[in-house]
Amino acid sequence: MGRNRSESSATMASIQSTAAASSSSVSMGGMMMNSSDMALYDIPLTSPSQQASSTNFEQLLHDLQSTSVDPRSVRKAACCAALIETVQERRQKNQNQQQQGGVGVSPNELFLATLAALTSLQGTLEQQVKQLRNDSTDSNNSSNEVETTALPLLEILRQILPYVAHPSNNHGALLLHQFGTVSRMLRMFVALGYAYTASSSSSTGTKKDNAATSSGANALLRQILKTTTMLLLIAPPPSSSASTNTQESEKEMAKLLHATIIRMFQDVRPKVRKAAFGCAMDVVIVASSSSSSSSSSSSNSSPLVQQRKVIADFLWEYCHAVITQYKSSGSKKNKNDSSSSSKNLIHILRLLSTALPYADDVRIRVRFGDDCLALMGGGGGEGGEVSMEVIRETLITLLSCLEKGEEDNNDGLLSSSMEDQEVGTKGATTDKEEEEISKFAARALAFLLQHRPNAANSSFSSAGDVNVVYGRCLMGCVERMLVRTGVESTLASKMLAMKLFPNVLTSILHLCDEAAEGDDGGAINSAEMCGTEFNQFVSRMIPIVTSYFSPDGTNSSNNNLQRVALEAISNCVDIIRQALKIQYRNAWGNILPGGYATFTSTLALNLLEMRGGGGGNSELEGKLQTWLKELVVSLLRLRDDVEKDGTARTAVEYATSTVMRGMGLELFLSLVDFTDDHVDIGDKKKKSLNTESGGGLWWLLPLMKQSASADASALASSSSMTTKSHLSFFQGRVLNLARRCDAASADGHRTAAEASIQKQRVVEVWSLLYYFCLHPIDMKENFAAVAKTVVKALGDHSRYPKLVPVICGSLKSLAVGVTGRAEANLSTEATEDLEVLSNVSTKILPSLFKLVETLNESQNTNSADDMDTDDKSSKEKQAIRQQNMQLVEAVTDTIGQLAQICPPEFLQNLFKKVVQRLLVTTTDAGDNEGDKSSKDTQALRMCSLLGLGQALVASGSLDDNSVSLLYRAVRPLVRSDEHDSRVQKRAYKVFAAICEKHKEFVTSEERLNEMTDLMVDSIVTCQVSARHMRLKCMTYIVQGFDSSNQAHMAVIPKIMGEVLLCLKDSNGKTREAAYQLLLEMAVSRDDMTDYFKIILAALGAQTSHMRSAAVMALSRLTFEYARNDMTVQSLLPSLMQTVAFLFDDSSREVTKSVIGFVRVCVAAMSPDQLEPLLPEVVGGIMKYNKGRDRFRAKIKIILKKLVRVYGYDTIGPLVPEKDSRLITHMRKLSERSARRKAAGLQDGQSVANNFDDMMESDEDDSDDGRTFMTGVTGFTKMTSMTGKSMKSAKNKSVVSGARSTMTGKSVKSTSGPRIKAELQGEILDMLDASKMAKSVRFADSNMDDNDFSDDDEMDDMQFDNQGRIIISDGLQKVSGDKGAVDDFDSDDDDENLQLKAGGGKRRRVSKFESVKVEKAERDAANARKQSKQSKKPASSIGSAYKSKKAGGDVKKKGQKYEPYAYVPLNAKDYSKKNRSNAVSKMGTVVRSNKRKR
């Protein structure tokens, strides 16, 4: 015994020294990673394989000895190494095991060593506790002892216990033998943990030391809980033959459970208490999963599984005992004891609410459910009353008892308490269990209906939560009674549930009334929460109840269920209508679009299914029709009652829109009568639903239009039944309403405004056609009649132009839907509908063709009248022409869609007529030499015919002969420029459609050569407006080129000049098309070296326009291919040297292109390629620094990129000496950025990944673009990152009054705003008045000048009453004693401006936007400025020659020029910002009288 004690002491000494040394070298800031222990719990249940067990144990030892940045893992590895070393030393001393010296450490050896170390440590800690009580030692020693030794040893013991209990390890005989020892040790450690806590609280040591001791004790208790849980769940049971041993084992386990886990249920420390709850949950989950897995494998007699169930039963019994004690001794306790027992009960109830869904026996849930009902009945508490907090936790626990199982945890009944728990697998419940839980649900439902908690009169802060949980419990009871099927005894439960269903619905609805009784905002939130429960109950339960509507004549029980269900729904209709009462107003925004609309839509779907299925119950359909009408009309009447209440009106309209989508427009319109003066509801007549222009139900039309114009797929996804409609209903009911509105608009007694309203209603009614075209089920009978009406409506486009896109969109939707259903072979009706639509399209297409011509002719009429009208009429006619163009586009799209389904013979004949008329019109236009009006008429007719041809080509329904005919007819229009530019543009559009839809026709050898020649020959006659479509045609043609065909490759140089010039076109679409064609030619050429040579030839062009375009083309090709194509990468140095010759070009556009090319190449070239060219590149771009100030920002971007790669030491000497300040300034900004990055204030970098951004952007990224400010808004990147919007008010403006960050400068508080908070690089929120008052001060205006400063001076930004920006005419003067406005280049709006402020020095102004704090200061400054100007007027031009004694000019001595002979003209004075000063000076020479009108 002495030898073992000495060995354990030696082991402890080794462990302590090793752990202390390791912990001293690692910081204590690590976090322990939480991992799942389910695999460890399952190890004792695995097959007894010695090899697998040893392999896993070796992996565990490796994991225990591995270290990371976490100091706990370091301590654990040190302790594990010390234990292994102790085991090996013990082996060497044991002579009988010398031959096994090479064998690894076994689980039993490591277990015994760990146990010995913990036993020795226990004695050490006991001595330290005694010393702590006597205040004779420092508490840090005990805290370090726990952290460095006790915690790692307990964790090691926890992880090796499953391998000690493995069946291959003698069935865990060692652990079974040592279980009592381990149990006593753990209980003693628990006592030590609490002793540490008590000692630290009563100790006289420092507060820091006491906190450390308390923290160590908390960690010790949590680790003991984990180890105890592992021991309880994996401890091997005793032999089944010894029942006495089994009882003793269970008694020992119960003692350990109560001394550790259960004891800490009531711990005052939340972390310890939560850890105890977590361990209890592990016990319940593992016991449940073990029982399920054993039952599935038919091995339910496993002793370990039974033992785990016994441990879980201990927990259930303890929870039941706590509840029973609270119920029985509620009135016998004083106030303090009652409060303590209530807290204990609440903790247990929270544990049960989480654990009960995992209970493996339904009887456990029923038992605790009965306990919850007894608690709500008044048991416990002071005087027999239960607090509202206890009621809430009781209801949550009751809801857990009603849970169906873990597979239903995501249904929302208890999502808040179960969403974070790990879900296991449970077997299906038996019929007996279902019967038992159903009976309990019935008892609970009856009890809850009679004992509703009075949360409204309670002072409990979470009273609204009580109502919410109460509603969930009601829903859980009803769902449990209704959903389960297949058991005869549950039919009575279903009958009872449906009989009580109206009562439950009433109770849940009344919760919204109770929650809305308060006056504060919390009442509204509580009403919304209760409304959400009402919505969930309706959406989940109503479909279940209505599912029993279908009768079964062979089963009397089903017939009884149908009868009870109908009675329940009949009562629910009246209850749902009660939600429209004013007492539920706070919840209308939730329950009307939710529960009310869902209830109505569910009944509507049942009615639609009965009608669609055929052979339905006419009596039941009549009842459903009556109920739906009551619900819909009641909702519509509520809208009239709350018309003046905006919030309530919005809720009603939203609910109405939801009802429309839920039941379909056809059913909704059948329930709402727009024509009758009275509508019967039951036996009473309500007020009139009139159709006058000022009120009635016409507010429904926009809602119906919105529902009808919704996406077809979205409507179809909601329900297939709601999208099915009858065209006969539209023809008879809807169009009748449109005719009435049309007749009302023609009534002479109405005003123009009333007539306009009626016309608008006609369009809104017609917009419902889209819905009826989604899935009509009577096309065969009624589509022909509807088509005639549609054709007539299109003919009335002059009065109702908005009907054209409505009708065309509906027809297009109809064609797409019918074609899709026919291709899917859904039914024979779909094929018949396609045939009907194909036949009727022969009557619709000619009308659409005629409509296109009519619209084009009306455009010509309007253009002919423009010469004789004023500006206003011209604008109106221009708007009409624009509208007609949009209508033509809508009609041609419909023609293209219908052309795909019309008969081929008809389409060919129609196409031939179009081509024939096109040829005739083209011939007449060539022979006609009449006036301009006739030419415009013919041009418009040609455009309309070409548009029709384009639509037919786009449909893809034409054969090759028809396409060839159209090609021959359009070719002369492309080749000639005698016609209007619109004709040629439309001809190119037809060509583009042919190339896109009929690629085989274009790519044939003969046709490709012919079209190529046509494109090359027609370059001279191409109109400017047709360039875009011409380039698209050429792109399609080039895609068909063969790189091995020399004739094809010879075309590329011929068209290259046109493509390059189009890169500089003013139209953005043309430029983009040219770039795409440039890239396509590169792909077709398949030789980048030769391709670049073709483009480089343009660098020698005579015009700067062509040279600039060539450089832009090189830039785009480099941008696209340099990263991936090694050939292009190798060509970059030579390209750079070639383009460098243009550095001396004097053209501004060439300069811009060259700088853009250099910027792209610097980003694309490797450092080795670019380094030899640095002198040439840097020297070339610096030539533009002074002469072309507008490019200084781009130059700085290039220089910064070069500096990033090569450094300042390499780039600095290459910059001319006169520009050395630029490099100095950039170096300072770089250092400042590095400091900001080190301080964690980096804002991020902006990288130009877009070619246009890289070529056009002038933003200086030397400071990552943070201070780049736009000239219009004054916003910077820092402004956008704050998420703040610039707020404006009257007489307030945004000015640039703040300065940039200064380093090493002292700032005096004199004049000019200075932002103090930005001195350290912080970003100040200038919209915060409190921060601005503390941060804004005034700085000295005398500061040094810098030629490359990033500071800018912007005009004040002012706003009018509507929030619109007021743009001033120019730059305002800055007043000062001696200073004036300095000269600057107006072209460089993005660069740095410096303004003189007096004293011979300049004041530097940053780009940060600022807001002046006091309006009075601005007003005072303006007043002083006006007074000075009134006393001393501005000097006028020629004042030096003016005579003081008489009028006219005189010649004085010393004058350089003759009087009135010279007026100095300075370009800087007439820039955008100085223009106002120049105008004021010129006003002294030229009188600025206002123009007479």
Side-chain angles (χ1 to χ4, degrees), residues 521-665:
I524 299 177
N525 296 332
S526 180
E528 292 179 354
M529 294 170 58
C530 295
T532 302
E533 299 305 318
F534 176 79
N535 297 339
Q536 290 187 1
F537 180 78
V538 172
S539 62
R540 297 176 63 171
M541 297 295 105
I542 293 298
I544 298 176
V545 176
T546 56
S547 63
Y548 297 105
F549 280 179
S550 300
D552 186 1
T554 61
N555 194 335
S556 59
S557 61
N558 289 342
N559 293 332
N560 293 332
L561 285 175
Q562 182 201 21
R563 177 181 54 80
V564 176
L566 289 175
E567 293 177 358
I569 292 298
S570 178
N571 296 328
C572 288
V573 170
D574 297 331
I575 298 171
I576 289 292
R577 289 176 59 191
Q578 291 181 8
L580 304 178
K581 293 183 178 180
I582 196 64
Q583 65 195 66
Y584 303 105
R585 180 186 177 279
N586 287 338
W588 276 351
N590 200 352
I591 62 176
L592 291 186
Y596 194 96
T598 302
F599 183 84
T600 308
S601 301
T602 304
L603 296 184
L605 288 178
N606 281 272
L607 178 60
L608 293 175
E609 290 176 358
M610 292 179 183
R611 291 178 177 177
N617 189 345
S618 59
E619 182 181 358
L620 180 57
E621 291 181 11
K623 289 183 179 181
L624 291 174
Q625 181 87 8
T626 304
W627 294 337
L628 288 173
K629 189 168 185 177
E630 293 178 3
L631 292 169
V632 171
V633 175
S634 299
L635 184 63
L636 301 184
R637 294 193 183 282
L638 178 61
R639 198 269 184 188
D640 295 337
D641 296 336
V642 299
E643 186 173 2
K644 296 182 180 180
D645 188 347
T647 304
R649 185 177 67 251
T650 301
V652 174
E653 291 180 354
Y654 182 42
T656 305
S657 179
T658 306
V659 170
M660 290 179 185
R661 293 192 297 269
M663 66 170 52
L665 287 180

Side-chain angles (χ1 to χ4, degrees), residues 5 203 216 228 240 242 307 595 703 705 724 770-771 903 1004 1030 1050 1053 1069 1221 1229 1317 1387 1423:
R5 184 176 296 275
S203 176
T228 301
S240 59
Q307 180 175 282
L703 299 179
K705 178 182 177 182
K724 294 181 179 180
Y770 182 86
Y771 168 79
S1004 62
R1030 172 181 170 83
K1069 292 182 179 180
R1221 287 184 177 183
L1229 290 178
D1387 292 334

Side-chain angles (χ1 to χ4, degrees), residues 398 573 674 693 822 1060 1144 1151 1181 1236 1257 1293 1351 1413 1441:
L398 177 62
V573 170
F674 281 81
S693 59
L1060 294 179
D1144 298 326
T1151 301
I1181 62 176
R1236 290 176 59 86
S1257 174
S1293 63
D1351 302 331
V1413 181
Y1441 308 103

